[in-house]
Amino acid sequence: MSLLQHASFFTSAARLDQLPPPGAPEVAFVGRSNSGKSTAINVLTNQRRLAFSSKTPGRTRLINLFGLPDPLDPDSHLGFLVDLPGYGYASVALRAREEWADVLGGYLQSRASLAGIVLLIDIRRGVTELDRKLVDWIAPTRRPVLALLTKADKLPYGQRVKAVFAVKKELADLGALHAVPFSATARIGLEEATEQIENWISPKVVP
């Protein structure tokens, strides 16, 4: 069983100062509002309702942490999956969007325990202006990024390959970037994404 399937809700925070002190490795999920973050977290953890997606765009304003228990010490956490607020919904008031931007940018750029970032991008749209805004926050941190190109089941294989190449080219400034076609419904890219995230949480020792 995947390490991720043992995830359980740990805590929520509306502000950075409400987060627990940095400790075990954290893997953050980030993307435009309605990018499918909650769906991706649920399928990766094999849990139907671990992460909640609001039916109202822009409603989810909290940073949600899901703990991964340490097999050797059930009272401790090996790491955390972090669901960050969706970014950039036009229907949300400007001031609220700016506050979320401060939280998002602050977390991505200053969180000491951040081990890797999962960036969700619609494979049919490619890198949008809002995606680029997120990338501009991420790039200076030099944190490794896993780009999940969602809705991959909507494109034939050849177009998926071209989309991956295009995203890698456009996001070359991220440095350590791994792009994977991904579909929660068709379970495309699930094993590859799981392996990458698990290795960020608990790196495999290579002899």
Side-chain angles (χ1 to χ4, degrees):
M1 180 184 288
S2 161
L3 166 68
L4 306 185
Q5 294 183 22
H6 295 284
S8 61
F9 176 77
F10 180 69
T11 191
S12 292
R15 303 191 313 268
L16 297 180
D17 60 4
Q18 295 175 341
L19 288 170
E26 296 174 6
V27 174
F29 287 72
V30 66
R32 293 175 298 100
S33 294
N34 211 21
S35 64
K37 285 188 294 83
S38 298
T39 301
I41 291 172
N42 288 340
V43 74
L44 286 165
T45 60
N46 197 31
Q47 299 184 47
R48 294 182 64 182
R49 293 182 61 79
L50 179 64
F52 291 90
S53 55
S54 172
K55 294 181 180 179
T56 303
R59 178 65 59 82
T60 307
R61 309 183 186 193
L62 300 174
I63 298 173
N64 293 306
L65 275 70
F66 305 103
L68 302 169
D70 186 338
L72 302 179
D73 183 3
D75 294 328
S76 300
H77 288 96
L78 202 61
F80 296 92
L81 304 179
V82 184
D83 186 6
L84 293 174
Y87 179 75
Y89 237 102
S91 62
V92 177
L94 177 61
R95 183 172 178 180
R97 291 206 307 271
E98 290 174 343
E99 289 174 356
W100 301 355
D102 287 343
V103 171
L104 268 173
Y107 176 89
L108 292 170
Q109 293 181 343
S110 67
R111 185 68 172 169
S113 47
L114 180 58
I117 298 165
V118 180
L119 173 63
L120 286 91
I121 296 173
D122 189 323
I123 197 168
R124 302 166 300 176
R125 298 185 183 185
V127 180
T128 67
E129 186 178 343
L130 288 174
D131 295 326
R132 187 69 238 179
K133 177 67 174 176
L134 290 169
V135 168
D136 288 344
W137 280 326
I138 296 169
T141 72
R142 309 310 294 171
R143 296 290 204 291
V145 175
L146 171 63
L148 292 187
L149 308 188
T150 63
K151 314 286 186 184
D153 56 305
K154 306 295 184 184
L155 296 182
Y157 179 78
Q159 290 186 31
R160 289 181 211 159
V161 174
K162 290 180 180 178
V164 169
F165 178 80
V167 167
K168 285 183 175 179
K169 184 177 180 181
E170 189 153 354
L171 302 185
D173 55 322
L174 280 177
L177 170 69
H178 188 51
V180 176
F182 187 82
S183 168
T185 52
R187 303 182 76 80
I188 296 170
L190 192 57
E191 288 186 13
E192 197 172 349
T194 297
E195 183 178 355
Q196 176 67 78
I197 295 168
E198 286 183 339
N199 198 43
W200 281 338
I201 296 290
S202 182
K204 295 178 177 62
V205 178
V206 179

